[in-house]
Amino acid sequence: MGNKFLEGNFAPVSREHTITELAVTGRIPDFLDGRYLRNGPNPLSEVDPAAYHWFMGDGMVHGVRLRDGKAEWYRNRWVRNPAVAAALDGEDASRFCGLDALGANTNVIGHAGKTLALVEAGAPIYELTDELDTVGRCDFDGTLPGGYTAHPKRDPRTGELHAVSYFFGMGNKVQYSVIDTAGRARRTVDVEVTGSPMMHDFSLTENHVVFYDLPVTFNAEMAVAAGVPAALRTPAKLVVSAMVGKVRVPDPVTAMMARKIGANGGLPYRWDPKYPARIGIMPREGGNADVRWFEVEPCYVFHPLNAYDDGDSVVLDVVRHPRMFDRELHGPDEGGPTLDRWTVDLAAGKVLEERLDDRGQEFPRVDERLVGHRHRYGYAMSADGGADPGGSLFKHDFHTGARHERAFGAGRQPGEFVFVPRHEEAAEDDGVLMGFVFDPATRRSDLTILDAETLETVAAIHLPDRVPHGFHGNWVPVG
């Protein structure tokens, strides 16, 4: 049985590189002093195509160091969780413990002087060195045990990280947290939701936290089938189904289930047509009792582009999928994702849902200095179906309604692009966009740098290998 998430440029690469001589076309801007980092799944061992889900692959971080107009190095490293460390470095495999075996494969950020490889759903995140070697698990100095999220938001005014985390063992709760600039949790709030959703991302405004309680939920039957003997699956499914999404799952049951959810296997989350689709709005300093819930048409959102307050309304620009993990259980591919705007009228108690752009797109980004505030520009990768990269990058102008497109040509496939301002006080599109672009003709990737205003190529840094299609990255400046 074929699995497109193991084929073409979804297929993993087989080696780690340290390259200090990189060819460059064009001129790298002098103001870029830091590292472009990107995370994604890259299974280390042979996997079963019939079972493998793209979201479950071992994590690999790719990075390029830029300074003084030069590309100093390219490195790629597997994130050494216990399973990967045992396979690559001969470490003791006996310390595997349930979700520890899952890869931190989804995002990579810099915070409080540390580089962090992120994942969600209760699995641990990992600290890396500046050169991308694994230091070890991160729990924010013991202040936030039990996993984190793939999508924290940095408040551009305070520098703090806000996040919403989920885990099937938490029952019908998700956790909002704030990590201070020293890298410690200063606030956590448990918020009740309908059941046990896959809450991949959230939104932050100047005054509010926004929860997406949507119908992709933990599926006990899939989780049990992953590792329970056939004769015990029915009673095990009944026991787990009776608890998940209703009450906190007892630690022994949680540990048992976690051991069955292995890396490079299936994802135990699936579309649930009976689950209500809702948006929750909570004041930043509020608690569970302060959350107001608003129904929306059934759909799934992996990634909001940005959100902001507008009088008595909260405006949410999101990439909307019509459904997710209903028929396709190997990765996102359930119809074209569109760019939509949801305006939550807090006074009237209703949501206006509008279509901004019906062309398939994903991995939306905004100038990070405007997270939670009104934005003019947003960027997204063209996407066919749900995960297959198209050949273009979109730039949306929300003031004029215009959409500009940069096609990369000749079958080239861009991933997520991030915006880097020329300097801290620069205008919203005065800077560059950067991301990896795969060329199937050469089977290699470039770190491509575009002028954010014109979308013209400024420089291309040619890597010695390809960077497989993956998830999220960030520019981590020095200092």
Side-chain angles (χ1 to χ4, degrees), residues 131-353:
E131 289 75 33
L132 308 184
D133 296 317
T134 302
V135 175
R137 290 182 57 165
C138 172
D139 59 7
F140 301 102
D141 292 337
T143 62
L144 196 71
Y148 191 50
T149 181
H151 282 289
K153 309 282 187 215
R154 192 186 314 277
D155 184 322
R157 304 298 186 259
T158 68
E160 293 182 319
L161 289 182
H162 296 246
V164 174
S165 306
Y166 72 95
F167 170 50
F168 74 87
M170 294 171 65
N172 65 332
K173 291 182 174 65
V174 297
Q175 185 178 77
Y176 166 62
S177 63
V178 183
I179 307 296
D180 65 21
T181 55
R184 296 173 63 86
R186 73 162 180 85
R187 183 166 189 257
T188 60
V189 178
D190 286 346
V191 173
E192 293 181 5
V193 291
T194 306
S196 186
M198 181 180 186
M199 198 172 289
H200 182 71
D201 206 343
F202 80 110
S203 288
L204 186 72
T205 74
E206 191 171 5
N207 300 309
H208 298 97
V209 180
V210 182
F211 304 91
Y212 297 96
D213 189 16
L214 301 173
V216 172
T217 66
F218 186 82
N219 187 287
E221 182 175 2
M222 296 174 69
V224 167
V228 176
L232 300 177
R233 286 177 188 170
T234 297
K237 182 183 71 172
L238 292 174
V239 170
V240 176
S241 296
M243 290 184 290
V244 169
K246 298 178 179 64
V247 298
R248 184 175 183 87
V249 180
D251 289 342
V253 178
T254 298
M256 181 274 290
M257 293 302 300
R259 284 193 294 271
K260 307 304 179 185
I261 304 170
N264 306 317
L267 179 76
Y269 285 84
R270 191 166 186 177
W271 180 261
D272 181 356
K274 298 178 181 178
Y275 195 91
R278 310 186 303 165
I279 300 168
I281 310 288
M282 183 183 79
R284 274 212 199 184
E285 297 305 319
N288 179 62
D290 303 306
V291 183
R292 295 180 61 189
W293 292 100
F294 303 84
E295 292 186 358
V296 294
E297 288 296 315
C299 65
Y300 190 72
V301 172
F302 283 113
H303 305 120
L305 183 146
N306 196 26
Y308 57 89
D309 299 309
D310 185 16
D312 288 332
S313 295
V314 177
V315 180
L316 311 171
D317 288 344
V318 303
V319 170
R320 179 189 188 275
H321 293 254
R323 62 181 56 212
M324 187 54 53
F325 308 145
D326 182 16
R327 297 175 299 275
E328 174 56 78
L329 302 182
H330 297 110
D333 191 12
E334 301 264 358
T338 55
L339 181 63
D340 287 22
R341 173 165 288 175
W342 294 346
T343 303
V344 185
D345 187 328
L346 299 175
K350 61 183 180 181
V351 181
L352 173 64
E353 302 181 48

Side-chain angles (χ1 to χ4, degrees), residues 72-101:
E72 293 189 346
W73 52 253
Y74 162 70
R75 285 178 165 88
N76 64 314
R77 295 289 187 273
W78 271 285
V79 180
R80 259 70 167 177
N81 64 15
V84 172
L88 288 177
D89 306 324
E91 293 193 11
D92 182 8
S94 64
R95 62 190 181 95
F96 289 4
C97 180
L99 295 175
D100 278 359

Side-chain angles (χ1 to χ4, degrees), residues 367 369 419 421-430:
D367 181 343
R369 298 172 299 169
F419 173 77
R422 189 172 305 278
H423 54 82
E424 199 53 40
E425 304 303 320
E428 189 176 340
D429 69 342
D430 181 11

